[in-house]
Amino acid sequence: MSTDSFIYTTAVLYVISALHYLLFLVLRKDKLATVGLYGARIGFLTNLIAVILLAGTGGGVSLFTEKGAFLLFGISTVSIFLYFSTKHKFSISGTFLMPWAAISLIVASLASGIPKNIFPVGVVGVTHIVSAFLGYSAFVFAAITSLIYLIFERHLKKKKFSVFYHKLTSLSLLESIVYHSLTVGFMFITISMFAGAIWSEKIFGSYWSWHPKEIATLVTWFTYAGIIHLYLYNNWKGKKLCYMSMFGFLLIVLNFLGINFFSDKDIHSFKG
């Protein structure tokens, strides 16, 4: 089977998973969430094969294309979702996460996989881009969990016994998941920054060049470092943590879309 065949298969599996999680939100039947979970798990495997096949063409530089970017975003989103949903039995998060993964794979199936520039990638380059996407996905997960926290908290105040009341255990658990996902994202972004600096030195002869992407990533890193610090030492918990997490997510969107997709004169651009 070709790379595109695995991409199409993954897109179908993620769409099936997303639909079942949406039905789970409405009908509150656990079997629907179970089908959604298996769709995500099998889709993860086909997504992984598609990434490996794409990386096998052109020495890994194909990952630095629109197709590669959306494939990586899809698999990293599902990786983070499977980790937290399994660890905390947080099935309802699939309602909000799997549509993102499905859209990513649909876009990947339509996007170009032809690289704009040919440059050496190697293990360091792959580590740089994979850890960046895992970090972004963890921050997305934190923002979505923050949104669920705020909705759940509002429903509790109004004594509205919605699906959130029946399927979630407590606000403190949601807060713990938000904080945990922020630390996971921060760890991967840190790894990506160091790997990127080493990779830059190999390609351009410099660890740091005040490149717009480097500056944007540094601002993002300091923002999340600040959020974690405020949580640990200034008691910014509960709703404050959730609002800060969602603010950080906006920076991620600006960083990711603004430079990686809207700029076409940048080595970080995924435009083919």
Side-chain angles (χ1 to χ4, degrees):
M1 291 178 68
S2 66
T3 304
D4 284 340
S5 298
F6 281 102
I7 293 174
Y8 298 145
T9 303
T10 308
V12 171
L13 288 166
Y14 285 170
V15 167
I16 291 172
S17 174
L19 289 175
H20 278 81
Y21 274 117
L22 288 170
L23 289 172
F24 167 70
L25 186 68
V26 176
L27 302 176
R28 307 179 189 180
K29 292 184 178 180
D30 291 336
K31 286 184 178 179
L32 291 169
T34 302
V35 175
L37 181 61
Y38 277 103
R41 285 175 175 173
I42 300 171
F44 170 83
L45 294 176
T46 55
N47 198 158
L48 179 62
I49 294 171
V51 169
I52 293 172
L53 290 176
L54 186 67
T57 60
V61 73
S62 298
L63 293 177
F64 292 79
T65 62
E66 288 182 349
K67 187 183 287 293
F70 281 104
L71 275 180
L72 286 174
F73 186 68
I75 195 170
S76 56
T77 299
V78 174
S79 300
I80 296 294
F81 161 66
L82 289 177
Y83 171 73
F84 283 102
S85 67
T86 304
K87 184 178 176 65
H88 298 288
K89 296 181 179 178
F90 191 28
S91 298
I92 203 167
S93 61
T95 307
F96 300 87
L97 263 294
M98 290 314 298
W100 284 76
I103 292 171
S104 294
L105 264 293
I106 291 171
V107 175
S109 68
L110 303 173
S112 168
I114 301 173
K116 179 179 63 177
N117 299 308
I118 303 297
F119 45 83
V121 178
V123 175
V124 179
V126 171
T127 301
H128 169 61
I129 189 170
V130 170
S131 56
F133 275 97
L134 285 170
Y136 289 152
S137 298
F139 291 143
V140 169
F141 186 85
I144 287 175
T145 307
S146 297
L147 179 63
I148 294 173
Y149 178 102
L150 294 172
I151 295 172
F152 186 34
E153 191 264 349
R154 188 181 178 86
H155 285 186
L156 287 178
K157 276 187 177 178
K158 293 186 174 181
K159 297 182 179 179
K160 183 178 178 181
F161 302 115
S162 63
V163 65
F164 298 97
Y165 177 82
H166 292 284
K167 298 300 180 184
L168 297 176
T169 53
S170 67
L171 286 174
S172 61
L173 175 62
L174 286 177
E175 180 182 304
S176 173
I177 294 173
V178 171
Y179 171 69
H180 190 185
S181 52
L182 286 175
T183 57
V184 169
F186 187 73
M187 176 189 71
F188 279 118
I189 285 294
T190 303
I191 293 172
S192 177
M193 286 178 61
F194 278 101
I198 295 170
W199 191 40
S200 174
E201 197 279 332
K202 287 186 175 181
I203 296 178
F204 304 111
S206 171
Y207 290 103
W208 185 265
S209 56
W210 294 104
H211 190 278
K213 180 65 179 180
E214 294 174 345
I215 296 171
T217 302
L218 189 63
V219 170
T220 303
W221 189 89
F222 273 113
T223 299
Y224 279 103
I227 294 172
I228 292 171
H229 178 86
L230 288 170
Y231 177 82
L232 291 176
Y233 301 107
N234 290 68
N235 204 31
W236 279 43
K237 302 181 186 298
K239 291 170 68 175
K240 286 183 179 178
L241 176 69
C242 294
Y243 285 131
M244 289 299 293
S245 170
M246 295 173 75
F247 171 74
F249 171 69
L250 293 179
L251 289 181
I252 291 292
V253 172
L254 292 174
N255 182 350
F256 186 60
L257 294 181
I259 295 177
N260 292 103
F261 285 96
F262 293 153
S263 171
D264 56 2
K265 297 179 180 179
D266 193 294
I267 191 173
H268 292 92
S269 172
F270 293 126
K271 284 188 174 181

